[in-house]
Amino acid sequence: MSKILIVYSSVHGQTRKISAYLEDKLIAAGNSVTAMNITDKVDLAEFDKIIIGGSIRHGKHSAAVYDFIEANQTVLEQKPSSFFSVSLVARKPLKNTADTNPYMRAFFEKSPWKPQLAEVFGGNLNYPSYGSMDRNIIRFIMWITKGPTAADTNIEYTDWNKVDTYAESVNQLVV
Ligand SMILES: Cc1cc2nc3c(=O)[nH]c(=O)nc-3n(C[C@H](O)[C@H](O)[C@H](O)COP(=O)(O)O)c2cc1C
């Protein structure tokens, strides 16, 4: 049994939802798991494994992800750890691995912390929940990338079987 911390940076809730799902899977596998917002206060020293999850907005992971890494780099490097990234680009078969996803590659270039395990998941596309400016920008990007553009679109691209496999990989990280 390991004590696992999952911290997430989520604007519309999909990364939080994936974190909650991971939490359930890892508890079912016999671990003690805490999932929390990346801006909440926490002492990483109390945990055996650390997972960070972050979503993409306008081509970037949030500054909160990098702030958290900078503030906790020493402890992060001492423990088995993982990072997962959530985006719409990750719905594309040629961009759905840590090696082929451009946001994950950018993450590894920018972050001083290099987790042992990294994964990418497709996110949620929910036009009705966006403000008009964001909706128009994302519809335009979807039009260019041959995705859905109907204004009432609400699609979850997260592959939950892939999240299951990821939970298994986290479980197997050796403490
Ligand atoms: C304003 C906005 C900008 C986004 N920009 C991108 C982007 O540049 N690339 C991408 O692949 N997905 C982009 N997305 C899609 C999000 O990554 C996706 O909806 C994800 O599920 C959001 O996760 P969250 O709900 O945890 O924040 C954007 C979504 C929104 C609302």
Side-chain angles (χ1 to χ4, degrees):
M1 193 218 57
S2 298
K3 278 190 83 176
I4 302 176
L5 175 68
I6 306 171
V7 291
Y8 54 80
S9 160
S10 181
V11 179
H12 287 271
Q14 193 65 15
T15 310
R16 185 174 64 236
K17 184 173 172 181
I18 294 170
S19 298
Y21 183 92
L22 276 173
E23 180 183 13
D24 288 348
K25 286 279 159 186
L26 290 165
I27 287 173
N31 300 285
S32 157
V33 186
T34 303
M36 59 170 59
N37 196 299
I38 200 160
T39 54
D40 289 347
K41 277 225 175 322
V42 62
D43 180 6
L44 271 61
E46 288 175 19
F47 297 90
D48 305 316
K49 299 181 186 180
I50 320 277
I51 305 174
I52 303 177
S55 64
I56 293 292
R57 259 174 100 82
H58 301 310
K60 293 178 188 161
H61 292 102
S62 113
V65 168
Y66 296 104
D67 290 349
F68 184 91
I69 291 168
E70 193 183 336
N72 297 290
Q73 194 184 339
T74 308
V75 190
L76 282 169
E77 281 166 358
Q78 289 163 355
K79 297 179 188 269
S81 60
S82 178
F83 179 69
F84 70 89
S85 172
V86 180
S87 67
L88 288 174
V89 160
R91 81 190 189 285
K92 297 231 153 201
L94 295 178
K95 294 181 179 170
N96 70 358
T97 70
D99 289 338
T100 59
N101 184 278
Y103 304 127
M104 187 59 94
R105 292 167 72 116
F107 171 81
F108 269 96
E109 272 170 32
K110 183 167 176 181
S111 168
W113 163 63
K114 313 292 178 203
Q116 289 99 318
L117 183 66
E119 189 53 281
V120 299
F121 300 117
N124 194 48
L125 176 64
N126 184 359
Y127 292 130
S129 76
Y130 307 151
S132 60
M133 176 115 109
D134 284 342
R135 184 163 56 241
N136 288 336
I137 292 171
I138 297 172
R139 282 178 82 192
F140 180 65
I141 293 168
M142 282 292 142
W143 179 71
I144 294 171
T145 59
K146 301 186 170 41
T149 53
D152 60 351
T153 302
N154 182 4
I155 300 179
E156 186 176 71
Y157 287 105
T158 309
D159 175 347
W160 295 102
N161 291 327
K162 191 176 180 187
V163 184
D164 287 344
T165 305
Y166 175 68
E168 188 52 39
S169 302
V170 169
N171 199 36
Q172 284 172 9
L173 283 175
V174 177
V175 175

